[in-house]
mmCIF file of all heavy atoms in Angstrom:
data_model
loop_
_atom_site.group_PDB
_atom_site.id
_atom_site.type_symbol
_atom_site.label_atom_id
_atom_site.label_comp_id
_atom_site.label_asym_id
_atom_site.label_seq_id
_atom_site.Cartn_x
_atom_site.Cartn_y
_atom_site.Cartn_z
ATOM 1 N N LEU A 112 -13.074 29.584 18.317
ATOM 2 C CA LEU A 112 -11.661 29.810 17.981
ATOM 3 C C LEU A 112 -10.842 29.118 19.070
ATOM 4 O O LEU A 112 -9.865 28.317 18.665
ATOM 5 C CB LEU A 112 -11.272 31.311 17.981
ATOM 6 C CG LEU A 112 -11.958 32.154 16.842
ATOM 7 C CD1 LEU A 112 -11.650 33.517 17.040
ATOM 8 C CD2 LEU A 112 -11.286 31.623 15.515
ATOM 9 N N PHE A 113 -11.117 29.313 20.269
ATOM 10 C CA PHE A 113 -10.245 28.705 21.425
ATOM 11 C C PHE A 113 -10.383 27.146 21.370
ATOM 12 O O PHE A 113 -9.396 26.479 21.409
ATOM 13 C CB PHE A 113 -10.738 29.238 22.744
ATOM 14 C CG PHE A 113 -9.911 28.725 23.905
ATOM 15 C CD1 PHE A 113 -8.546 28.912 24.097
ATOM 16 C CD2 PHE A 113 -10.511 27.793 24.846
ATOM 17 C CE1 PHE A 113 -7.856 28.447 25.108
ATOM 18 C CE2 PHE A 113 -9.834 27.247 25.845
ATOM 19 C CZ PHE A 113 -8.512 27.541 25.969
ATOM 20 N N PHE A 114 -11.546 26.606 21.538
ATOM 21 C CA PHE A 114 -11.699 25.206 21.668
ATOM 22 C C PHE A 114 -11.395 24.491 20.292
ATOM 23 O O PHE A 114 -11.048 23.347 20.352
ATOM 24 C CB PHE A 114 -13.165 24.875 22.089
ATOM 25 C CG PHE A 114 -13.474 25.107 23.558
ATOM 26 C CD1 PHE A 114 -14.350 26.072 23.974
ATOM 27 C CD2 PHE A 114 -12.651 24.536 24.576
ATOM 28 C CE1 PHE A 114 -14.604 26.307 25.302
ATOM 29 C CE2 PHE A 114 -12.876 24.724 25.959
ATOM 30 C CZ PHE A 114 -13.741 25.584 26.294
ATOM 31 N N GLY A 115 -11.646 25.141 19.060
ATOM 32 C CA GLY A 115 -11.272 24.566 17.855
ATOM 33 C C GLY A 115 -9.740 24.387 17.862
ATOM 34 O O GLY A 115 -9.252 23.192 17.405
ATOM 35 N N TRP A 116 -8.923 25.283 18.287
ATOM 36 C CA TRP A 116 -7.438 25.185 18.337
ATOM 37 C C TRP A 116 -7.130 24.098 19.335
ATOM 38 O O TRP A 116 -6.275 23.307 19.164
ATOM 39 C CB TRP A 116 -6.881 26.637 18.710
ATOM 40 C CG TRP A 116 -5.496 26.577 19.191
ATOM 41 C CD1 TRP A 116 -4.393 26.465 18.404
ATOM 42 C CD2 TRP A 116 -4.863 26.625 20.497
ATOM 43 N NE1 TRP A 116 -3.301 26.461 19.045
ATOM 44 C CE2 TRP A 116 -3.476 26.431 20.429
ATOM 45 C CE3 TRP A 116 -5.545 26.681 21.692
ATOM 46 C CZ2 TRP A 116 -2.774 26.549 21.526
ATOM 47 C CZ3 TRP A 116 -4.765 26.707 22.990
ATOM 48 C CH2 TRP A 116 -3.358 26.611 22.748
ATOM 49 N N LEU A 117 -7.769 24.146 20.729
ATOM 50 C CA LEU A 117 -7.578 23.254 21.644
ATOM 51 C C LEU A 117 -7.775 21.756 21.222
ATOM 52 O O LEU A 117 -7.082 20.808 21.678
ATOM 53 C CB LEU A 117 -8.310 23.601 22.864
ATOM 54 C CG LEU A 117 -7.666 23.145 24.306
ATOM 55 C CD1 LEU A 117 -6.286 23.808 24.469
ATOM 56 C CD2 LEU A 117 -8.636 23.552 25.345
ATOM 57 N N GLY A 118 -8.847 21.566 20.457
ATOM 58 C CA GLY A 118 -9.257 20.263 20.012
ATOM 59 C C GLY A 118 -8.058 19.699 19.112
ATOM 60 O O GLY A 118 -7.915 18.415 19.067
ATOM 61 N N ASP A 119 -7.350 20.435 18.433
ATOM 62 C CA ASP A 119 -6.256 19.941 17.602
ATOM 63 C C ASP A 119 -4.979 19.750 18.383
ATOM 64 O O ASP A 119 -4.133 18.915 18.099
ATOM 65 C CB ASP A 119 -5.943 20.868 16.452
ATOM 66 C CG ASP A 119 -6.902 20.682 15.243
ATOM 67 O OD1 ASP A 119 -7.551 19.665 15.113
ATOM 68 O OD2 ASP A 119 -7.117 21.786 14.499
ATOM 69 N N LYS A 120 -4.855 20.520 19.526
ATOM 70 C CA LYS A 120 -3.667 20.362 20.367
ATOM 71 C C LYS A 120 -3.776 19.324 21.405
ATOM 72 O O LYS A 120 -2.833 18.496 21.528
ATOM 73 C CB LYS A 120 -3.555 21.670 21.110
ATOM 74 C CG LYS A 120 -2.906 22.799 20.247
ATOM 75 C CD LYS A 120 -1.542 22.738 20.080
ATOM 76 C CE LYS A 120 -0.911 23.693 19.083
ATOM 77 N NZ LYS A 120 -0.623 23.102 17.747
ATOM 78 N N LEU A 121 -4.927 19.168 22.025
ATOM 79 C CA LEU A 121 -5.131 18.064 23.129
ATOM 80 C C LEU A 121 -5.741 16.869 22.766
ATOM 81 O O LEU A 121 -5.814 15.860 23.374
ATOM 82 C CB LEU A 121 -5.762 18.791 24.328
ATOM 83 C CG LEU A 121 -5.134 20.018 25.012
ATOM 84 C CD1 LEU A 121 -5.929 20.417 26.203
ATOM 85 C CD2 LEU A 121 -3.740 19.779 25.521
ATOM 86 N N GLY A 122 -6.451 17.038 21.687
ATOM 87 C CA GLY A 122 -7.459 15.854 21.254
ATOM 88 C C GLY A 122 -8.896 16.171 21.413
ATOM 89 O O GLY A 122 -9.178 17.062 22.325
ATOM 90 N N ARG A 123 -9.742 15.614 20.534
ATOM 91 C CA ARG A 123 -11.190 16.010 20.712
ATOM 92 C C ARG A 123 -11.818 15.629 21.919
ATOM 93 O O ARG A 123 -12.590 16.475 22.477
ATOM 94 C CB ARG A 123 -11.975 15.305 19.387
ATOM 95 C CG ARG A 123 -11.601 15.638 17.972
ATOM 96 C CD ARG A 123 -10.128 15.715 17.596
ATOM 97 N NE ARG A 123 -10.002 15.750 16.099
ATOM 98 C CZ ARG A 123 -9.113 16.423 15.516
ATOM 99 N NH1 ARG A 123 -8.458 17.285 16.183
ATOM 100 N NH2 ARG A 123 -8.891 16.294 14.199
ATOM 101 N N LYS A 124 -11.453 14.477 22.360
ATOM 102 C CA LYS A 124 -12.199 13.923 23.566
ATOM 103 C C LYS A 124 -12.047 14.758 24.770
ATOM 104 O O LYS A 124 -12.890 15.014 25.611
ATOM 105 C CB LYS A 124 -11.789 12.445 23.785
ATOM 106 C CG LYS A 124 -12.666 11.870 24.871
ATOM 107 C CD LYS A 124 -12.153 10.605 25.446
ATOM 108 C CE LYS A 124 -12.842 10.117 26.684
ATOM 109 N NZ LYS A 124 -12.483 8.824 27.175
ATOM 110 N N LYS A 125 -10.740 14.936 25.062
ATOM 111 C CA LYS A 125 -10.288 15.763 26.260
ATOM 112 C C LYS A 125 -11.011 17.014 26.436
ATOM 113 O O LYS A 125 -11.321 17.456 27.526
ATOM 114 C CB LYS A 125 -8.782 16.119 26.202
ATOM 115 C CG LYS A 125 -7.919 14.857 26.700
ATOM 116 C CD LYS A 125 -6.441 15.204 26.830
ATOM 117 C CE LYS A 125 -5.733 13.964 27.052
ATOM 118 N NZ LYS A 125 -4.224 14.125 26.881
ATOM 119 N N VAL A 126 -11.225 17.719 25.310
ATOM 120 C CA VAL A 126 -11.840 19.019 25.443
ATOM 121 C C VAL A 126 -13.446 18.948 25.431
ATOM 122 O O VAL A 126 -14.086 19.910 25.817
ATOM 123 C CB VAL A 126 -11.335 19.843 24.065
ATOM 124 C CG1 VAL A 126 -11.818 21.357 24.233
ATOM 125 C CG2 VAL A 126 -9.873 19.938 24.040
ATOM 126 N N TYR A 127 -13.850 17.847 24.871
ATOM 127 C CA TYR A 127 -15.309 17.561 24.624
ATOM 128 C C TYR A 127 -16.195 17.823 26.037
ATOM 129 O O TYR A 127 -17.183 18.380 25.999
ATOM 130 C CB TYR A 127 -15.526 16.317 24.058
ATOM 131 C CG TYR A 127 -16.771 16.192 23.112
ATOM 132 C CD1 TYR A 127 -17.242 17.514 22.453
ATOM 133 C CD2 TYR A 127 -17.362 15.093 22.788
ATOM 134 C CE1 TYR A 127 -18.250 17.400 21.545
ATOM 135 C CE2 TYR A 127 -18.475 15.042 21.890
ATOM 136 C CZ TYR A 127 -18.891 16.253 21.319
ATOM 137 O OH TYR A 127 -19.980 16.162 20.426
ATOM 138 N N GLY A 128 -15.662 17.242 27.073
ATOM 139 C CA GLY A 128 -16.182 17.269 28.368
ATOM 140 C C GLY A 128 -16.248 18.695 29.033
ATOM 141 O O GLY A 128 -17.189 19.171 29.611
ATOM 142 N N MET A 129 -15.150 19.534 28.770
ATOM 143 C CA MET A 129 -15.033 20.854 29.223
ATOM 144 C C MET A 129 -16.152 21.667 28.677
ATOM 145 O O MET A 129 -16.701 22.538 29.555
ATOM 146 C CB MET A 129 -13.736 21.453 28.787
ATOM 147 C CG MET A 129 -12.490 20.887 29.415
ATOM 148 S SD MET A 129 -11.146 21.886 28.667
ATOM 149 C CE MET A 129 -9.827 20.777 28.713
ATOM 150 N N THR A 130 -16.434 21.720 27.501
ATOM 151 C CA THR A 130 -17.455 22.533 26.861
ATOM 152 C C THR A 130 -18.880 22.240 27.484
ATOM 153 O O THR A 130 -19.583 23.150 27.700
ATOM 154 C CB THR A 130 -17.544 22.430 25.293
ATOM 155 O OG1 THR A 130 -17.894 21.080 24.992
ATOM 156 C CG2 THR A 130 -16.214 22.628 24.680
ATOM 157 N N LEU A 131 -19.204 20.953 27.728
ATOM 158 C CA LEU A 131 -20.415 20.537 28.323
ATOM 159 C C LEU A 131 -20.654 21.108 29.690
ATOM 160 O O LEU A 131 -21.671 21.570 29.978
ATOM 161 C CB LEU A 131 -20.647 19.004 28.153
ATOM 162 C CG LEU A 131 -21.987 18.518 27.917
ATOM 163 C CD1 LEU A 131 -22.622 19.016 26.684
ATOM 164 C CD2 LEU A 131 -22.063 17.069 27.950
ATOM 165 N N MET A 132 -19.559 20.930 30.470
ATOM 166 C CA MET A 132 -19.721 21.364 31.934
ATOM 167 C C MET A 132 -19.933 22.852 31.948
ATOM 168 O O MET A 132 -20.673 23.413 32.733
ATOM 169 C CB MET A 132 -18.519 20.982 32.645
ATOM 170 C CG MET A 132 -18.486 19.574 33.068
ATOM 171 S SD MET A 132 -20.178 18.943 33.677
ATOM 172 C CE MET A 132 -20.382 19.637 35.120
ATOM 173 N N LEU A 133 -19.258 23.672 31.062
ATOM 174 C CA LEU A 133 -19.318 24.974 31.018
ATOM 175 C C LEU A 133 -20.720 25.378 30.555
ATOM 176 O O LEU A 133 -21.350 26.449 31.311
ATOM 177 C CB LEU A 133 -18.415 25.550 30.040
ATOM 178 C CG LEU A 133 -18.046 27.131 30.018
ATOM 179 C CD1 LEU A 133 -17.549 27.453 31.526
ATOM 180 C CD2 LEU A 133 -16.864 27.326 29.061
ATOM 181 N N MET A 134 -21.395 24.748 29.744
ATOM 182 C CA MET A 134 -22.840 24.990 29.309
ATOM 183 C C MET A 134 -23.726 24.726 30.510
ATOM 184 O O MET A 134 -24.674 25.532 30.767
ATOM 185 C CB MET A 134 -23.224 24.083 28.066
ATOM 186 C CG MET A 134 -22.669 24.505 26.754
ATOM 187 S SD MET A 134 -22.292 23.226 25.616
ATOM 188 C CE MET A 134 -24.035 22.836 25.376
ATOM 189 N N VAL A 135 -23.642 23.572 31.179
ATOM 190 C CA VAL A 135 -24.491 23.260 32.283
ATOM 191 C C VAL A 135 -24.319 24.294 33.440
ATOM 192 O O VAL A 135 -25.463 24.849 33.823
ATOM 193 C CB VAL A 135 -24.148 21.841 32.874
ATOM 194 C CG1 VAL A 135 -24.869 21.546 34.203
ATOM 195 C CG2 VAL A 135 -24.358 20.740 31.782
ATOM 196 N N ILE A 136 -23.202 24.674 33.831
ATOM 197 C CA ILE A 136 -23.042 25.618 34.908
ATOM 198 C C ILE A 136 -23.563 26.936 34.617
ATOM 199 O O ILE A 136 -24.325 27.692 35.397
ATOM 200 C CB ILE A 136 -21.463 25.678 35.237
ATOM 201 C CG1 ILE A 136 -21.087 24.417 35.842
ATOM 202 C CG2 ILE A 136 -21.233 26.900 36.322
ATOM 203 C CD1 ILE A 136 -19.449 24.242 35.922
ATOM 204 N N CYS A 137 -23.252 27.379 33.304
ATOM 205 C CA CYS A 137 -23.740 28.722 32.882
ATOM 206 C C CYS A 137 -25.166 28.871 32.640
ATOM 207 O O CYS A 137 -25.729 30.037 32.770
ATOM 208 C CB CYS A 137 -22.888 29.275 31.795
ATOM 209 S SG CYS A 137 -21.093 29.598 32.259
ATOM 210 N N SER A 138 -25.761 27.851 32.172
ATOM 211 C CA SER A 138 -27.279 27.716 32.026
ATOM 212 C C SER A 138 -27.992 28.010 33.343
ATOM 213 O O SER A 138 -28.809 28.892 33.364
ATOM 214 C CB SER A 138 -27.772 26.380 31.449
ATOM 215 O OG SER A 138 -27.515 26.350 30.042
ATOM 216 N N ILE A 139 -27.465 27.295 34.313
ATOM 217 C CA ILE A 139 -28.077 27.409 35.704
ATOM 218 C C ILE A 139 -27.768 28.858 36.315
ATOM 219 O O ILE A 139 -28.679 29.543 36.689
ATOM 220 C CB ILE A 139 -27.597 26.290 36.587
ATOM 221 C CG1 ILE A 139 -28.025 24.908 36.100
ATOM 222 C CG2 ILE A 139 -28.058 26.539 38.010
ATOM 223 C CD1 ILE A 139 -27.437 23.833 36.759
ATOM 224 N N ALA A 140 -26.547 29.355 36.159
ATOM 225 C CA ALA A 140 -26.207 30.558 36.682
ATOM 226 C C ALA A 140 -26.883 31.691 35.997
ATOM 227 O O ALA A 140 -27.268 32.669 36.686
ATOM 228 C CB ALA A 140 -24.656 30.792 36.578
ATOM 229 N N SER A 141 -27.168 31.508 34.676
ATOM 230 C CA SER A 141 -27.960 32.586 33.853
ATOM 231 C C SER A 141 -29.313 32.931 34.576
ATOM 232 O O SER A 141 -29.915 33.963 34.692
ATOM 233 C CB SER A 141 -28.179 32.321 32.464
ATOM 234 O OG SER A 141 -27.029 32.071 31.794
ATOM 235 N N GLY A 142 -30.041 31.776 34.856
ATOM 236 C CA GLY A 142 -31.249 31.835 35.564
ATOM 237 C C GLY A 142 -31.257 32.344 37.015
ATOM 238 O O GLY A 142 -32.271 32.657 37.600
ATOM 239 N N LEU A 143 -30.065 32.324 37.621
ATOM 240 C CA LEU A 143 -29.864 32.770 38.983
ATOM 241 C C LEU A 143 -29.296 34.228 38.963
ATOM 242 O O LEU A 143 -28.759 34.748 39.987
ATOM 243 C CB LEU A 143 -28.992 31.878 39.742
ATOM 244 C CG LEU A 143 -29.488 30.427 39.941
ATOM 245 C CD1 LEU A 143 -28.400 29.600 40.613
ATOM 246 C CD2 LEU A 143 -30.658 30.409 40.651
ATOM 247 N N SER A 144 -29.482 35.012 37.797
ATOM 248 C CA SER A 144 -28.916 36.346 37.792
ATOM 249 C C SER A 144 -29.826 37.335 38.718
ATOM 250 O O SER A 144 -31.075 37.403 38.600
ATOM 251 C CB SER A 144 -29.154 36.923 36.420
ATOM 252 O OG SER A 144 -28.306 36.070 35.481
ATOM 253 N N PHE A 145 -29.149 37.756 39.776
ATOM 254 C CA PHE A 145 -29.841 38.600 40.717
ATOM 255 C C PHE A 145 -29.028 39.982 40.768
ATOM 256 O O PHE A 145 -27.917 39.994 40.491
ATOM 257 C CB PHE A 145 -29.963 38.109 42.157
ATOM 258 C CG PHE A 145 -30.837 36.801 42.145
ATOM 259 C CD1 PHE A 145 -30.258 35.574 42.350
ATOM 260 C CD2 PHE A 145 -32.138 36.869 41.958
ATOM 261 C CE1 PHE A 145 -31.129 34.347 42.362
ATOM 262 C CE2 PHE A 145 -32.953 35.859 42.009
ATOM 263 C CZ PHE A 145 -32.459 34.580 42.161
ATOM 264 N N GLY A 146 -29.767 40.929 41.302
ATOM 265 C CA GLY A 146 -29.117 42.195 41.533
ATOM 266 C C GLY A 146 -30.019 43.248 42.247
ATOM 267 O O GLY A 146 -31.346 43.118 42.228
ATOM 268 N N LYS A 147 -29.520 44.211 42.809
ATOM 269 C CA LYS A 147 -30.362 45.227 43.431
ATOM 270 C C LYS A 147 -31.142 46.110 42.352
ATOM 271 O O LYS A 147 -32.207 46.595 42.775
ATOM 272 C CB LYS A 147 -29.469 46.163 44.382
ATOM 273 C CG LYS A 147 -28.986 45.416 45.581
ATOM 274 C CD LYS A 147 -28.280 46.247 46.531
ATOM 275 C CE LYS A 147 -27.867 45.497 47.852
ATOM 276 N NZ LYS A 147 -26.882 46.294 48.635
ATOM 277 N N SER A 148 -30.559 46.202 41.312
ATOM 278 C CA SER A 148 -31.112 47.218 40.286
ATOM 279 C C SER A 148 -31.322 46.391 39.070
ATOM 280 O O SER A 148 -30.662 45.334 38.790
ATOM 281 C CB SER A 148 -30.242 48.365 40.041
ATOM 282 O OG SER A 148 -29.030 47.891 39.377
ATOM 283 N N PRO A 149 -32.097 46.832 38.184
ATOM 284 C CA PRO A 149 -32.300 46.292 36.774
ATOM 285 C C PRO A 149 -30.833 46.089 36.100
ATOM 286 O O PRO A 149 -30.738 45.193 35.538
ATOM 287 C CB PRO A 149 -33.166 47.240 35.972
ATOM 288 C CG PRO A 149 -34.000 47.869 37.041
ATOM 289 C CD PRO A 149 -33.078 48.011 38.280
ATOM 290 N N LYS A 150 -30.051 47.127 36.176
ATOM 291 C CA LYS A 150 -28.750 47.170 35.670
ATOM 292 C C LYS A 150 -27.831 45.960 36.103
ATOM 293 O O LYS A 150 -27.360 45.264 35.406
ATOM 294 C CB LYS A 150 -28.102 48.441 35.939
ATOM 295 C CG LYS A 150 -26.983 48.732 34.864
ATOM 296 C CD LYS A 150 -26.395 50.095 35.167
ATOM 297 C CE LYS A 150 -26.687 51.117 34.016
ATOM 298 N NZ LYS A 150 -25.910 52.275 34.281
ATOM 299 N N GLY A 151 -28.062 45.741 37.401
ATOM 300 C CA GLY A 151 -27.345 44.640 38.018
ATOM 301 C C GLY A 151 -27.672 43.278 37.498
ATOM 302 O O GLY A 151 -26.913 42.423 37.199
ATOM 303 N N VAL A 152 -29.054 43.069 37.401
ATOM 304 C CA VAL A 152 -29.566 41.863 36.919
ATOM 305 C C VAL A 152 -29.161 41.537 35.512
ATOM 306 O O VAL A 152 -28.619 40.493 35.168
ATOM 307 C CB VAL A 152 -31.276 41.737 37.036
ATOM 308 C CG1 VAL A 152 -31.767 40.512 36.403
ATOM 309 C CG2 VAL A 152 -31.589 41.915 38.484
ATOM 310 N N MET A 153 -29.211 42.629 34.585
ATOM 311 C CA MET A 153 -28.840 42.420 33.291
ATOM 312 C C MET A 153 -27.410 42.186 33.115
ATOM 313 O O MET A 153 -26.986 41.494 32.220
ATOM 314 C CB MET A 153 -29.226 43.735 32.353
ATOM 315 C CG MET A 153 -30.729 43.950 32.387
ATOM 316 S SD MET A 153 -31.608 42.538 31.500
ATOM 317 C CE MET A 153 -32.850 42.096 32.714
ATOM 318 N N ALA A 154 -26.573 42.832 33.911
ATOM 319 C CA ALA A 154 -25.070 42.666 33.818
ATOM 320 C C ALA A 154 -24.773 41.381 34.194
ATOM 321 O O ALA A 154 -23.874 40.627 33.576
ATOM 322 C CB ALA A 154 -24.479 43.647 34.798
ATOM 323 N N THR A 155 -25.377 40.735 35.286
ATOM 324 C CA THR A 155 -25.032 39.372 35.685
ATOM 325 C C THR A 155 -25.570 38.457 34.617
ATOM 326 O O THR A 155 -24.782 37.416 34.361
ATOM 327 C CB THR A 155 -25.871 39.022 36.952
ATOM 328 O OG1 THR A 155 -25.709 40.129 37.879
ATOM 329 C CG2 THR A 155 -25.246 37.792 37.737
#
Side-chain angles (χ1 to χ4, degrees):
L112 292 171
F113 177 71
F114 286 116
W116 168 78
L117 208 60
D119 282 334
K120 285 279 170 259
L121 301 181
R123 292 44 164 145
K124 184 194 167 176
K125 276 184 185 166
V126 186
Y127 214 23
M129 291 182 211
T130 62
L131 208 61
M132 281 321 293
L133 201 53
M134 282 153 61
V135 171
I136 293 163
C137 293
S138 278
I139 294 167
S141 295
L143 298 175
S144 301
F145 294 109
K147 286 182 180 175
S148 65
K150 202 179 244 183
V152 176
M153 293 300 124
T155 318

